[in-house]
């Protein structure tokens, strides 16, 4: 099978190229970073900036030269997002990572290790009496 080129769209108004798909690894990276923020605004700014970094050919230096408000108010962020066909998967991944069932499953995996530590403390405490 011959190597296929990544599907890109050129946005002439900004003279940049946009990848139409984010990889699962890129989406996971975005989600991991976004989960560190508690407010919606901080979270969304993180998502927006990482999407620009991953999905466009804008250099890191150029991205860092302007803040989020600049990229948003010139219309670049919504223009880029509308061209990413799997953008919704960022939201899906956030919902999955933060679902109560998943959190309970993670806690259940940690209970045996917690019990070992409690048992060790209790054993140590009773042997000192």
């Amino acid at each position: 099978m011959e190597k296929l080129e990544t599907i890109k769209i050129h946005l002439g108004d900004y003279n940049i190229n946009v990848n139409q798909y984010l990889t699962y690894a890129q989406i996971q990276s975005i989600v991991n970073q976004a989960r560190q923020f508690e407010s919606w605004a901080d979270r969304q700014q993180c998502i927006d900036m990482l999407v620009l970094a991953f999905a466009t050919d804008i250099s890191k230096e150029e991205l860092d030269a302007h803040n989020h408000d600049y990229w948003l108010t010139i219309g670049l962020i919504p223009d880029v997002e509308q061209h990413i066909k799997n953008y919704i998967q960022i939201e899906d991944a956030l919902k999955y990572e933060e679902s109560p069932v998943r959190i309970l499953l993670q806690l259940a995996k940690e209970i045996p290790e917690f019990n070992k530590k409690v048992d060790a403390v209790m054993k140590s405490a009773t042997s000192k009496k």
Side-chain angles (χ1 to χ4, degrees):
M1 181 174 174
E2 75 180 69
K3 185 176 178 184
L4 301 175
E5 290 295 317
T6 304
I7 301 170
K8 295 181 180 183
I9 299 290
H10 183 75
L11 299 181
D13 290 347
Y14 311 99
N15 196 28
I16 64 166
N17 295 308
V18 178
N19 294 327
Q20 287 190 284
Y21 291 92
L22 293 167
T23 67
Y24 289 162
Q26 290 169 333
I27 292 170
Q28 188 65 56
S29 180
I30 292 168
V31 168
N32 291 348
Q33 293 297 314
R35 287 184 65 206
Q36 296 176 28
F37 297 98
E38 292 188 25
S39 75
W40 174 85
D42 290 338
R43 218 177 233 223
Q44 195 59 48
Q45 287 177 11
C46 175
I47 291 168
D48 292 346
M49 294 304 288
L50 288 172
V51 165
L52 291 181
F54 287 133
T56 71
D57 57 3
I58 301 172
S59 70
K60 181 179 179 348
E61 294 77 21
E62 181 68 16
L63 280 175
D64 292 343
H66 304 283
N67 66 17
H68 176 271
D69 290 345
Y70 170 80
W71 298 113
L72 182 65
T73 57
I74 67 167
L76 179 66
I77 291 171
D79 283 352
V80 167
E81 289 173 3
Q82 77 176 357
H83 288 92
I84 300 173
K85 295 187 180 205
N86 63 341
Y87 183 84
I88 191 71
Q89 287 183 314
I90 297 169
E91 184 179 326
D92 294 343
L94 272 167
K95 286 178 185 174
Y96 169 77
E97 291 288 335
E98 296 176 335
S99 74
V101 172
R102 183 169 186 279
I103 292 169
L104 289 174
L105 288 173
Q106 287 178 313
L107 285 174
K109 288 179 183 178
E110 294 177 19
I111 287 175
E113 187 62 33
F114 177 74
N115 283 340
K116 287 180 191 175
K117 291 177 181 177
V118 169
D119 290 344
V121 169
M122 294 302 290
K123 187 176 183 178
S124 174
T126 57
S127 67
K128 292 182 180 180
K129 284 187 176 184

